[in-house]
Amino acid sequence: MGGTATRYNRHISEQFNAELEDVRQRVLAMGGMVEQQINRAVNAVLETDTGLAKQVIEDDHKVNGMEVFIDEECSRILARRHPAASDLRLIIAIIKTITDLERIGDEAERVARMALDLAALDFPRGPHREIETLGQHVQGMLHDVLDAFARMDADAALAVARTDAKVDREYEAVMRQCITFMIEDPRSISRVMDIVWSIRSLERIGDHARNLAEYVIFFVHGKDVRHISLEEMEREVTGIVAQQAGESAAD
């Protein structure tokens, strides 16, 4: 497993194979929908586009419906197939993944609602570029972690976890900038507070993307790396890869 990419087991039952592949593809479709929601929500803020914001809010139920459907499919697989080993880890990872994807969708909806609030303000007018770079980075995180999930690539997932630390630092910098704006111009407080809530939602999206990366690592290596530092996560993954390489050499 040197490249740390893996797939679930193949089975004598073609139906079981089809069921596993179906839920996996549905997760990727849900991820694509959520990725689109983030993009539209951020653009709604940047362009003060109320139509786009309302579309994000209206489409949130689609993300919720995807989560419910995939969760029910996973429950049926658990009841019928009694999966073990990597198959069980895959189902567990999928159930956890869709929960975080649904929460990312909720954060995108919150950003869209902030876009509506910003559009209603009389002062100041103009674009709201404070969140543009942060929005691009968290969208990139989600895209990359969905790619890591598609390939079940733990190395790629670990790279996403590293990116989250950069997003956190950027979030703190933008927060300081927003506070400075409010101090220098009290008339900007209403607008800047909406920006603050928007960037807070984007930072949370980054956190959820890191969670998704942790689920990929769990599936690939069977190791729970939640609630530990990035440094500890890197040591865990490196140690597991080295151990597996040693076992392969011994064989």
Side-chain angles (χ1 to χ4, degrees), residues 102-130:
E102 189 276 332
R103 290 173 180 168
I104 291 174
D106 287 345
E107 297 298 344
E109 182 188 9
R110 290 188 181 96
V111 174
R113 291 189 184 280
M114 292 305 101
L116 293 180
D117 289 346
L118 286 164
L121 295 176
D122 292 327
F123 181 87
R125 294 287 184 183
H128 312 288
R129 297 292 172 184
E130 295 91 338

Side-chain angles (χ1 to χ4, degrees), residues 92-104:
I92 292 171
I94 284 175
I95 292 171
K96 291 179 179 295
T97 293
I98 60 175
T99 298
D100 274 273
L101 285 175
E102 189 276 332
R103 290 173 180 168
I104 291 174

Side-chain angles (χ1 to χ4, degrees), residues 1 3-8 24 27-28 86 89-91 93-94 97 145-157 212-213 215-221:
M1 204 175 293
T4 58
T6 190
R7 291 179 63 84
Y8 48 84
R24 197 179 73 91
V27 171
L28 293 172
S86 63
R89 292 204 308 273
L90 176 65
I91 297 300
I94 284 175
T97 293
V145 81
L146 289 172
D147 182 65
F149 176 87
R151 296 182 291 113
M152 287 304 174
D153 187 333
D155 286 344
L212 300 182
Y215 306 148
V216 172
I217 293 171
F218 166 72
F219 169 72
V220 174
H221 293 307

